[in-house]
Amino acid sequence: MSATVSPLAPKSYPDMPAVRGVSMSTASAGIKYKNRTDVLMMVFDRPASVAGVFTKSKCPSAPVDFCRANLPHGVARGVVVNSGNANAFTGKKGRESTALTAKSAAQALGCGENEIYLASTGVIGEPLDATKFSGVLADMANSATGDFWLEAAKAIMTTDTYPKVATRSAEIGGVKVTINGIAKGAGMIAPDMATMLSFVVTDADIAPAALQALLSGSVEATFNSITVDSDTSTSDTLMLFATGAASADGQSRIETADDAALASFRVALADLLKDLALQVVRDGEGARKMLEITVTGAESDAAAKRIGLSIANSPLVKTAVAGEDANWGRVVMAVGKSGEMADRDRLAIWFGDVRVAVDGERDPDYSEAAATAVMKQEDIPLKVEIGLGNGKATVWTCDLTKEYVAINGDYRS
């Protein structure tokens, strides 16, 4: 955790209510960081429905492989997360580490190893000594408590400068349900089916297949629409658990994702995931500004998103934003290199409400002063109209500062 909290950090944290059916505890195992918690355990009172989306990296971590193997089983009794070591590119030792952790957690909770889910975050390529924390899992299980969300978020941070939490409520068939979530992430962020680490729990009673469809359907416009540095992590894990505790209030179990009773829940889940995703961008390593890029008029929504990410991932665009320079020529460059259809003479570009380019050239009413005023803001909206179709998408990123280089130049030391 950085000594300096991001200037884009939330000014306050939401009051995180306890979610019935889940409790948490944290511990300090000294995996990489001194004098802070670095292990999180989540315990479910009874088997919870589980859904997950993971990195598309072809070099995934051992915990990602482990979770993927368990997911078809559909239920979870416990989650163990460590920070400071990603347990990625660790070969046979990595698999042995996940096996030991899962065995210890299963023994502590009296459940099967296929009901345990694991995640690790931190340095890639360093063997993870799971004996540092496997022995304390029984104690952690016994001391777990329900109102521990902010502490849970703190335990999974790496270069994050603040813990990321969010909560929403919804109704299913007239019964109120709660959704809480935590996330970590600040660098190596260009998610592909998930991002870094994020764990979301609801007390709703929803079957695993329906829960998976809900999660997969909400990822594209939230976690898969953010980027800090164009790099997809080996460890990206986003998991959603439903404890079913709301059944005690009369909530009928949801079996399919197209159930009309899910309307309120679907909106609340998407809103919570977007909240967490944007907190990750706002904590981008060295970030001083947040950029919301909206692309309209592309050939398709998918084309609009690819153009948006081409702009968002451009080091030249991001450094211009860092320097408060309304350099729309770099936006034109990024549109042109995206590989998607574009017509130079139909392009229009806005920084905030200031149109800087139209019909393929500088706006005749262009004002450098007005554009510069927009660039001085912490939150900068950038809009690009392609002029070819109805495709649209929004993506989010941050600026690229000297601090990003400094953080990543000595990350392992």
Side-chain angles (χ1 to χ4, degrees):
M1 178 177 169
S2 168
T4 309
V5 176
S6 166
L8 307 178
K11 300 303 178 244
S12 62
Y13 293 107
D15 184 23
M16 298 291 286
V19 173
R20 292 170 300 167
V22 65
S23 52
M24 289 154 283
S25 60
T26 59
S28 304
I31 296 165
K32 172 179 165 68
Y33 308 107
K34 291 181 173 57
N35 306 317
R36 56 155 282 192
T37 55
D38 54 6
V39 181
L40 162 67
M41 189 176 199
M42 297 179 108
V43 179
F44 300 103
D45 298 350
R46 58 191 184 91
S49 295
V50 58
V53 285
F54 304 93
T55 182
K56 283 185 178 174
S57 168
K58 296 295 188 286
C59 299
S61 68
V64 166
D65 286 341
F66 183 88
C67 288
R68 280 187 173 134
N70 278 358
L71 205 58
H73 182 64
V75 298
R77 283 295 310 281
V79 181
V80 179
V81 188
N82 74 270
S83 60
N85 184 315
N87 196 12
F89 205 70
T90 46
K92 183 167 175 255
K93 289 192 183 76
R95 291 187 290 276
E96 289 169 350
S97 177
T98 55
L100 172 63
T101 307
K103 184 178 179 183
S104 303
Q107 286 174 345
L109 299 177
C111 68
E113 290 170 34
N114 58 1
E115 296 174 303
I116 300 294
Y117 287 85
L118 307 175
S120 299
T121 178
V123 174
I124 293 170
E126 292 281 337
L128 172 62
D129 181 4
T131 61
K132 283 190 171 180
F133 57 85
S134 57
V136 301
L137 295 181
D139 290 341
M140 292 177 73
N142 292 331
S143 63
T145 179
D147 54 353
F148 215 54
W149 288 92
L150 195 61
E151 292 305 315
K154 288 176 182 174
I156 63 173
M157 298 194 303
T158 52
T159 58
D160 306 56
T161 70
Y162 58 86
K164 298 159 183 67
V165 294
T167 182
R168 297 290 186 277
S169 60
E171 283 195 356
I172 299 179
V175 177
K176 183 189 170 191
V177 297
T178 301
I179 317 170
N180 281 5
I182 62 174
K184 68 77 52 181
M188 203 187 287
I189 292 173
D192 214 339
M193 269 320 287
T195 182
M196 302 63 54
L197 303 185
S198 184
F199 305 95
V200 181
V201 185
T202 178
D203 54 4
D205 193 4
I206 302 174
L211 202 65
Q212 184 65 52
L214 282 165
L215 185 63
S216 296
S218 298
V219 164
E220 201 53 40
T222 58
F223 276 123
N224 271 3
S225 293
I226 64 170
T227 177
V228 167
D229 49 20
S230 85
D231 286 337
T232 298
S233 166
T234 58
S235 309
D236 291 344
T237 298
L238 166 61
M239 302 201 76
L240 171 61
F241 304 91
T243 70
S247 60
D249 301 337
Q251 188 229 305
S252 300
R253 184 172 171 88
I254 301 289
E255 294 292 345
T256 60
D258 57 5
D259 192 318
L262 279 174
S264 161
F265 184 89
R266 181 179 280 106
V267 170
L269 176 65
D271 198 45
L272 177 135
L273 294 179
K274 181 181 174 184
D275 185 342
L276 289 173
L278 294 194
Q279 286 188 55
V280 169
V281 175
R282 299 182 78 83
D283 202 13
E285 290 168 344
R288 294 291 174 268
K289 294 179 184 293
M290 166 101 159
L291 193 59
E292 180 180 81
I293 301 166
T294 304
V295 177
T296 57
E299 279 196 311
S300 65
D301 289 353
K305 186 166 181 183
R306 279 189 285 270
I307 292 169
L309 287 172
S310 179
I311 298 166
N313 283 326
S314 164
L316 288 177
V317 171
K318 289 154 72 76
T319 48
V321 173
E324 301 182 342
D325 177 11
N327 191 337
W328 50 267
R330 293 180 175 181
V331 178
V332 175
M333 173 279 296
V335 171
K337 75 165 186 172
S338 69
E340 296 301 320
M341 282 296 293
D343 183 336
R344 180 195 61 208
D345 297 333
R346 296 189 191 190
L347 275 185
I349 300 168
W350 288 258
F351 285 104
D353 294 329
V354 180
R355 190 173 69 178
V356 295
V358 64
D359 298 332
E361 61 183 338
R362 189 170 71 186
D363 191 300
D365 297 325
Y366 175 74
S367 159
E368 183 78 24
T372 299
V374 173
M375 302 307 290
K376 289 191 177 301
Q377 299 169 188
E378 278 190 350
D379 288 78
I380 301 171
L382 169 63
K383 183 186 170 193
V384 179
E385 166 63 41
I386 304 298
L388 292 177
N390 298 314
K392 62 180 187 296
T394 302
V395 300
W396 294 269
T397 192
C398 54
D399 56 348
L400 182 59
T401 66
K402 293 175 183 175
E403 184 68 12
Y404 178 89
V405 178
I407 290 167
N408 286 288
D410 62 4
Y411 178 54
R412 293 198 310 156
S413 52

